[in-house]
C-alpha cells in the first residue's frame, strides 16, 4: 500500500522534473560559471576574437580581418565571427563576450537532447543522456563549451540537423530545418559540415526515403541547405575574388586531408582513444552494446521499423564522423567532440530500455549494472568538470592589458618586449585590442623608438623602471611584472570622452 502511494505516476513525474532541473543547473554551472576566469588561448580562440573585433570595428561583415588585413590563415566562413560580434554588442568587448556564444551553444545542446530523448525514449533515458552530456569533461576543457571557438556552435547545429532527420519521419517538412542547419554548420566550420551531408544522404538512401520526397520537399530542402552558402560565397567573391576559396580548398581541405599540418597527426584509432578511453564513456558504450546484444538474443518479437530506423541513424551519426576524420592525416582532438552527443544519447537510451524491461530477472541485472556504470561515468566527470571550471588563471601579460593598459593607453599604437620576444602573440593581440583598442605592432623597443606617439609594454625582467627612466622614457604604470612606457614629452593619452 505504501509503495502504491509513494510511487504514483504524479510522484514519479515530480521526481523526474526535479532531477532534470538539477542536471540542467549543473550544465549551466559548467558552461557559464567563471567563464572569463581563464586566460585566452592563442589557438584558435584568440584568432576568432581578433577576427570578430576587427570586423566590428571596420563594419566589414564579410571578410574576416587579422591585424586589419584580410585573414587567409583562419579560413572559416563568418558565422562564428558574427556570433562573437553579437556578444560584443550585448556584453562589451570582453573575454566573457568572446566565449558566451560557445557556452550558450553547449547549454542549448543539453536542452535539445533532453527534450528529444524524453519525447522519444522516456524519462530514464532522458535523465541519463542529459547527465552524461552535461557533465562530460572533454566538452569544457579546451576548444568547446568554455572557449571562444566555433566548435560548440557546430556541435549544436550538428545535433539540430540530425534530430530533424528523426522528426522528418513523421513530417517531411523537418527536412527544411535539417538542410538549413547544415548550411549554418558549413558557415560555421566549413568542410567539417560535409559529415552531415554524408549522414543525411546515407540515411535517406538506406531508409528508403530518398526517392519518395516529392518535388516540393526536394526544392525546399536544397534551397535551405545551399541557398545561405551560395549567398555568402557570392558576397565574399565580390569582395576579394577567389583568394579565400582557394585557401579553403588547398589548405583546409586538401592539405589537412593529405598530410599532418603543424605536427598534428595520429593513427587511425586516434579519435577512438580521445573520445572513449579518456573519460570512461567507452565503458558505458561497451555496457550498452552488451545490453543490445542481450536484447537481440532474448527478443521475442520482430524489431519494429521505427527501431531499425533509429538504430540506422544513430549508427551513421556516430560512425561517419569517426571514419571521416580518422582518414584525414591532420588530427585535432576537438574535431570529434560533436560525436560525444550521440554517444551520450545512446548510453541514455540503453539505460532507459533496460529499466523498461526490468520485469525479467536478466534485465533487472542488466539495468542495475548499466545504472552503476552510468553513475560511475557521471560522478567521475562531474568531479573533473568542477575542477576545470574552478581552475582557470589569467597570465600576467593579459592581466596587465586588461587593467593598466586599458586605462592609460587606450587607442594607442603599442609595442611589446617580453622575455626577448618582440612580436605579439595572438592571445595578447586579442586582449590588447578588445580591452584597450590597441594597434599592436611588432618590433619591440627598436620599433617603439621610432614611434614618438606609441607606448611600449616591457617585462621588468628585461628592463627596470629606473633603467627605463635613465634611458629617457616615462613610466606610466608598473604592475603585474610589466612596465607601460611612453617617450618623455609625448602627448598624454587620450581618455574616452575627452
Amino acid at each position: 500500500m505504501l509503495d502504491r502511494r509513494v510511487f504514483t505516476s504524479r510522484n514519479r513525474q515530480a521526481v523526474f522534473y526535479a532531477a532534470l532541473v538539477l542536471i540542467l543547473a549543473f550544465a549551466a554551472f559548467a558552461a557559464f560559471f567563471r567563464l572569463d576566469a581563464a586566460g585566452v588561448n592563442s589557438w584558435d580562440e584568440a584568432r576568432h576574437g581578433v577576427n570578430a573585433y576587427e570586423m566590428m570595428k571596420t563594419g566589414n561583415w564579410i571578410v574576416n580581418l587579422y591585424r586589419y588585413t584580410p585573414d587567409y590563415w583562419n579560413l572559416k566562413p563568418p558565422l562564428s565571427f558574427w556570433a562573437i560580434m553579437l556578444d560584443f554588442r550585448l556584453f562589451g568587448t570582453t573575454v566573457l563576450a568572446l566565449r558566451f556564444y560557445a557556452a550558450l551553444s553547449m547549454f542549448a545542446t543539453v536542452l535539445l537532447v533532453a527534450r528529444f530523448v524524453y519525447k522519444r525514449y522516456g524519462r530514464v533515458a532522458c535523465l541519463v543522456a542529459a547527465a552524461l552530456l552535461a557533465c562530460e569533461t572533454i566538452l569544457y576543457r579546451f576548444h568547446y563549451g568554455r572557449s571562444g571557438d566555433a566548435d560548440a556552435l557546430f556541435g549544436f547545429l550538428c545535433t539540430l540537423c540530425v534530430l530533424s532527420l528523426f522528426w522528418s519521419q513523421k513530417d517531411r517538412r523537418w527536412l527544411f530545418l535539417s538542410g538549413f542547419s547544415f548550411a549554418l554548420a558549413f558557415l560555421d566550420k566549413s568542410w567539417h559540415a560535409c559529415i552531415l551531408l554524408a549522414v543525411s544522404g546515407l540515411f535517406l538512401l538506406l531508409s528508403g526515403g530518398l526517392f519518395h520526397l516529392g518535388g516540393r520537399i526536394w526544392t525546399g530542402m536544397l534551397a535551405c541547405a545551399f541557398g545561405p552558402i551560395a549567398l555568402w560565397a557570392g558576397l565574399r567573391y565580390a569582395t576579394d575574388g577567389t583568394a579565400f576559396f582557394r585557401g579553403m580548398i588547398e589548405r583546409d581541405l586538401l592539405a589537412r586531408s593529405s598530410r599532418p599540418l603543424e605536427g598534428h597527426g595520429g593513427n587511425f584509432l586516434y579519435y577512438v582513444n580521445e573520445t572513449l578511453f579518456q573519460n570512461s564513456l567507452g565503458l558505458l558504450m561497451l555496457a550498452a552494446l552488451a545490453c543490445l546484444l542481450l536484447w537481440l538474443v532474448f527478443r521475442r518479437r520482430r524489431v519494429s521499423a521505427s527501431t531499425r530506423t533509429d538504430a540506422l541513424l544513430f549508427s551513421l551519426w556516430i560512425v561517419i564522423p569517426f571514419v571521416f576524420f580518422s582518414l584525414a592525416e591532420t588530427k585535432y582532438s576537438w574535431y570529434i567532440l560533436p560525436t560525444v552527443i550521440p554517444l551520450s544519447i545512446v548510453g541514455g537510451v540503453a539505460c532507459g530500455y533496460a529499466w523498461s524491461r526490468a520485469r525479467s530477472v536478466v534485465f533487472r541485472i542488466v539495468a542495475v549494472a548499466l545504472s552503476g556504470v552510468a553513475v560511475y561515468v557521471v560522478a567521475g566527470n562531474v568531479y573533473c568538470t568542477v575542477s576545470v571550471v574552478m581552475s582557470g588563471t589569467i597570465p600576467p601579460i593579459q592581466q596587465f592589458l586588461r587593467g593598466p593598459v586599458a586605462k592609460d593607453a587606450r587607442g594607442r599604437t603599442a609595442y611589446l618586449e617580453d622575455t626577448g620576444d618582440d612580436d605579439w602573440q595572438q592571445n595578447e593581440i586579442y586582449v590588447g585590442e578588445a580591452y584597450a583598442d590597441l594597434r599592436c605592432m611588432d618590433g619591440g623597443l627598436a620599433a617603439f623608438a621610432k614611434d614618438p606617439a606609441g607606448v611600449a609594454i616591457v617585462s621588468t625582467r628585461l628592463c627596470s623602471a629606473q633603467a627605463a627612466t635613465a634611458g629617457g622614457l616615462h613610466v606610466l604604470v608598473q604592475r603585474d611584472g610589466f612596465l607601460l612606457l611612453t617617450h618623455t614629452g609625448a602627448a598624454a593619452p587620450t581618455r574616452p570622452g575627452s
Side-chain angles (χ1 to χ4, degrees):
M1 195 70 173
L2 178 63
D3 289 345
R4 291 181 180 178
R5 288 197 302 268
V6 172
F7 296 106
T8 63
S9 176
R10 179 178 295 179
N11 288 348
R12 287 196 297 268
Q13 193 73 358
V15 171
F16 163 73
Y17 282 127
L20 183 59
V21 167
L22 183 63
I23 292 169
L24 294 179
F26 182 84
F29 162 80
F32 297 107
F33 187 68
R34 300 180 77 243
L35 190 58
D36 61 348
V40 177
N41 297 304
S42 278
W43 312 96
D44 299 316
E45 181 180 41
R47 194 84 178 202
H48 276 70
V50 173
N51 288 161
Y53 180 82
E54 295 182 1
M55 290 170 74
M56 185 180 71
K57 285 286 290 185
T58 59
N60 189 335
W61 286 72
I62 302 301
V63 178
N64 52 310
L65 305 173
Y66 184 73
R67 307 185 86 166
Y68 294 96
T69 60
D71 188 358
Y72 296 116
W73 184 90
N74 191 4
L75 296 163
K76 296 294 185 289
L79 184 63
S80 60
F81 312 141
W82 294 342
I84 297 172
M85 291 163 69
L86 176 60
D87 287 348
F88 285 164
R89 294 293 188 187
L90 293 175
F91 307 112
T93 56
T94 63
V95 174
L96 173 65
L98 171 64
R99 295 169 174 164
F100 182 81
Y101 86 104
L104 183 63
S105 298
M106 180 67 220
F107 184 70
T109 303
V110 177
L111 283 177
L112 181 61
V113 166
R115 184 187 184 282
F116 167 77
V117 177
Y118 173 61
K119 292 289 187 180
R120 200 172 186 91
Y121 303 107
R123 291 178 295 212
V124 174
C126 171
L127 292 178
V128 176
L132 289 170
L133 188 59
C135 71
E136 180 52 64
T137 307
I138 61 176
L139 299 180
Y140 302 103
R141 274 188 180 144
F142 182 64
H143 239 281
Y144 206 82
R146 293 178 61 86
S147 181
D149 302 291
D151 298 88
L153 178 57
F154 179 70
F156 171 77
L157 293 170
C158 286
T159 305
L160 188 59
C161 177
V162 179
L163 295 188
S164 296
L165 294 176
F166 280 98
W167 299 325
S168 71
Q169 296 171 57
K170 292 186 176 180
D171 188 341
R172 292 296 189 188
R173 288 175 295 182
W174 281 106
L175 291 174
F176 300 159
L177 179 59
S178 184
F180 186 62
S181 300
F182 160 76
L184 295 181
F186 185 91
L187 293 176
D188 182 55
K189 284 283 288 183
S190 186
W191 305 112
H192 291 242
C194 291
I195 61 173
L196 297 175
L197 283 182
V199 171
S200 302
L202 283 174
F203 172 72
L204 292 174
L205 176 64
L206 297 176
S207 65
L210 185 63
F211 303 107
H212 300 89
L213 296 180
R216 184 174 66 88
I217 299 297
W218 266 110
T219 302
M221 182 175 63
L222 293 176
C224 290
F226 298 103
I229 299 173
L231 177 61
W232 162 75
L235 293 172
R236 181 75 204 221
Y237 178 79
T239 303
D240 58 356
T242 62
F244 186 83
F245 301 109
R246 288 200 307 269
M248 283 182 65
I249 296 171
E250 294 171 2
R251 179 179 172 83
D252 256 16
L253 179 62
L254 300 180
R256 290 186 187 276
S257 300
S258 60
R259 63 181 185 274
L261 296 184
E262 299 156 356
H264 291 277
N267 59 35
F268 190 78
L269 296 178
Y270 172 83
Y271 290 118
V272 175
N273 178 65
E274 288 292 320
T275 305
L276 297 178
F277 299 149
Q278 299 286 339
N279 55 356
S280 304
L281 188 59
L283 181 63
L284 182 59
M285 291 303 103
L286 289 175
L289 182 60
C291 176
L292 172 63
L293 294 175
L294 187 67
W295 174 68
L296 290 174
V297 170
F298 286 94
R299 66 187 175 93
R300 297 177 181 177
R301 59 185 176 85
R302 295 185 62 187
V303 180
S304 66
S306 63
T307 301
R308 290 197 303 270
T309 302
D310 285 10
L312 171 64
L313 188 46
F314 277 122
S315 299
L316 293 173
W317 192 3
I318 294 170
V319 172
I320 285 179
F322 273 102
V323 174
F324 184 94
F325 292 121
S326 295
L327 289 174
E329 292 296 327
T330 301
K331 293 179 172 65
Y332 293 93
S333 59
W334 54 89
Y335 280 7
I336 204 65
L337 291 184
T339 310
V340 172
I341 299 165
L343 289 172
S344 298
I345 296 176
V346 168
V349 171
C351 291
Y353 181 78
W355 276 105
S356 69
R357 300 280 295 182
R359 293 180 296 273
S360 65
V361 175
V362 172
F363 272 93
R364 286 176 187 169
I365 297 173
V366 171
V368 172
L370 268 176
S371 300
V373 175
V375 169
Y376 170 77
V377 174
V378 169
N381 278 280
V382 164
Y383 175 81
C384 294
T385 298
V386 170
S387 299
V388 169
V389 171
M390 302 302 294
S391 63
T393 59
I394 302 173
I397 180 61
Q398 294 189 29
Q399 292 178 347
F400 192 65
L401 290 168
R402 289 193 190 191
V405 176
K407 178 182 178 183
D408 294 309
R410 177 168 295 276
R412 305 285 284 271
T413 55
Y415 303 84
L416 177 67
E417 193 81 48
D418 183 12
T419 62
D421 188 356
D422 58 7
D423 289 341
W424 290 79
Q425 301 300 310
Q426 292 185 26
N427 53 8
E428 297 159 353
I429 292 174
Y430 168 72
V431 178
E433 288 189 351
Y435 283 82
D437 195 29
L438 298 180
R439 293 299 295 261
C440 302
M441 311 298 291
D442 291 334
L445 288 175
F448 168 65
K450 302 174 184 178
D451 183 359
V455 297
I457 301 161
V458 182
S459 171
T460 54
R461 289 172 290 180
L462 301 177
C463 178
S464 66
Q466 294 81 1
T469 302
L473 300 175
H474 176 59
V475 179
L476 280 178
V477 182
Q478 178 177 355
R479 208 180 83 183
D480 299 318
F482 288 90
L483 304 173
L484 179 61
L485 306 177
T486 62
H487 294 283
T488 302
T494 302
R495 300 298 184 92
S498 61

